[in-house]
Amino acid sequence: MTIYSSVPLEVVLNGLNEQPGPFVDIAVGGIRMQVEPLSPGIGRIVRLLECPLEAYLKPEYTPGTVIAYGARET
């Protein structure tokens, strides 16, 4: 792999060996998604797991969006 960048290699590879998570799979409005918990009942969307194709176009389901999920965990 070759990386061409003016940014120092330490900055580019920062966090490469860190483990992501923990993640929680939840269902909101019939859409299953993976969420990174921020506080009890609130999380940041990591990715959509099962949903209709049009859900990818809705800004409220964009990865990085903070949502409230309460007791709807699966």
Side-chain angles (χ1 to χ4, degrees):
M1 175 174 79
T2 304
I3 298 175
Y4 296 102
S5 176
S6 61
V7 178
L9 187 61
E10 296 82 28
V11 175
V12 172
L13 300 178
N14 186 22
L16 181 66
N17 294 325
E18 294 177 11
Q19 294 293 328
F23 299 127
V24 178
D25 292 352
I26 62 168
V28 176
I31 297 175
R32 250 186 79 223
M33 60 184 76
Q34 191 175 52
V35 173
E36 177 184 14
L38 300 176
S39 63
I42 298 176
R44 179 175 291 120
I45 298 174
V46 176
R47 63 182 173 159
L48 301 180
L49 299 173
E50 291 179 15
C51 63
L53 292 177
E54 61 269 6
Y56 289 99
L57 300 174
K58 296 183 179 179
E60 59 266 23
Y61 299 126
T62 304
T65 303
V66 176
I67 62 165
Y69 59 87
R72 293 176 272 202
E73 294 181 24
T74 57

